[in-house]
């Protein structure tokens, strides 16, 4: 767009030096480049500049804050603190709210919630974690200790788990489905597994949650299940029973 505008201004300057009138120049440009490409008023304004001895074809600087300055200020603020809201940015920079929002969208910013992660790692912590994982994999190749791990976890099981699905519709209107309640009917599943699969599980009665007594009973049941299903583990030392919480604390 800018290159075409500059090209048309060169054509206007050429016609001006040839001695053409503004009307003849407008007719010639519209005939070559299409109707509505320019107007006689625009050509009059450029011819007025040419008569004054100003043959600069670039747009003159306009009054007010340059757009690039606004964008730089907004980027600087977000670099310091990406949690600034539009209103806080307006109060700090004195830029109109609509202008701030326009620049944010134009520069590719989107207002989203942050993603929860278990732990923010430093560069040193990240390197240490990668190194530890690599050492564990090398150890597992020499001595498959992961095959001796038994893991336990708990999760809530809903009686009715409603899923939204895509459907074909001629009118391009999505179907409606009732949103699940805030307190759906559910039970707690306690499950234990190793690398071969599930070893044992228990569905607690509705309203019950795990406690120390239930946990000890489950461990006794798990010990009997290991002796029955994994005799090679029951008859040797070094069998490790872990929970998800144990593994998270160990790695964090």
């Amino acid at each position: 767009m800018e290159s075409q505008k500059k090209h048309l201004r060169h054509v206007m300057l050429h016609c001006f030096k040839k001695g053409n009138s503004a009307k003849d120049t407008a007719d010639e440009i519209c005939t070559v480049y299409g109707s509505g490409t320019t107007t006689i008023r625009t050509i009059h304004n450029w011819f007025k500049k040419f008569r004054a001895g100003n043959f600069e074809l670039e747009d003159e600087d306009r009054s007010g804050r340059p757009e690039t300055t606004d964008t730089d200020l907004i980027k600087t603020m977000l670099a310091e603190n990406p949690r600034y809201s539009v209103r806080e940015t307006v109060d700090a920079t004195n830029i109109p709210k609509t202008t701030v929002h326009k620049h944010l969208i134009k520069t590719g910013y989107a207002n989203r919630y942050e993603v929860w992660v278990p732990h923010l790692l430093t560069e040193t912590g990240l390197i240490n974690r990668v190194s530890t994982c690599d050492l564990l994999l090398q150890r597992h190749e020499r001595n498959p200790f992961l095959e001796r791990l038994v893991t336990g976890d708990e999760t809530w099981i809903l009686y009715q788990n409603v899923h939204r699905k895509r459907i074909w519709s001629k009118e391009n209107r999505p179907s409606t489905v009732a949103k699940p309640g805030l307190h759906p009917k559910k039970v707690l599943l306690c499950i234990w597994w190793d690398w071969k699969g599930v070893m044992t599980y228990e569905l607690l009665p509705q309203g019950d949650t795990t406690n120390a007594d239930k946990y000890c009973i489950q461990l006794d049941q798990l010990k009997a299940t290991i002796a029955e299903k994994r005799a090679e583990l029951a008859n040797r030392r070094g069998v490790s029973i872990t929970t998800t919480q144990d593994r998270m604390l160990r790695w964090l």
Side-chain angles (χ1 to χ4, degrees), residues 148-152 192-193 199 215 218-220 222-223 226 238-244 246-247 250:
R148 300 195 298 271
L149 293 180
V150 179
T151 306
W192 300 85
W193 72 93
M199 300 187 66
Y215 201 71
Q218 289 178 3
L219 288 176
D220 291 336
L222 177 63
K223 181 179 179 181
I226 291 176
V239 178
S240 176
I241 299 176
T242 66
T243 64
T244 301
D246 294 334
R247 287 185 284 115
R250 185 181 304 168

Side-chain angles (χ1 to χ4, degrees), residues 226-227 230-237 239:
I226 291 176
R230 306 286 192 268
E232 68 277 9
L233 297 182
N235 299 326
R236 62 166 299 164
R237 295 182 178 181
V239 178

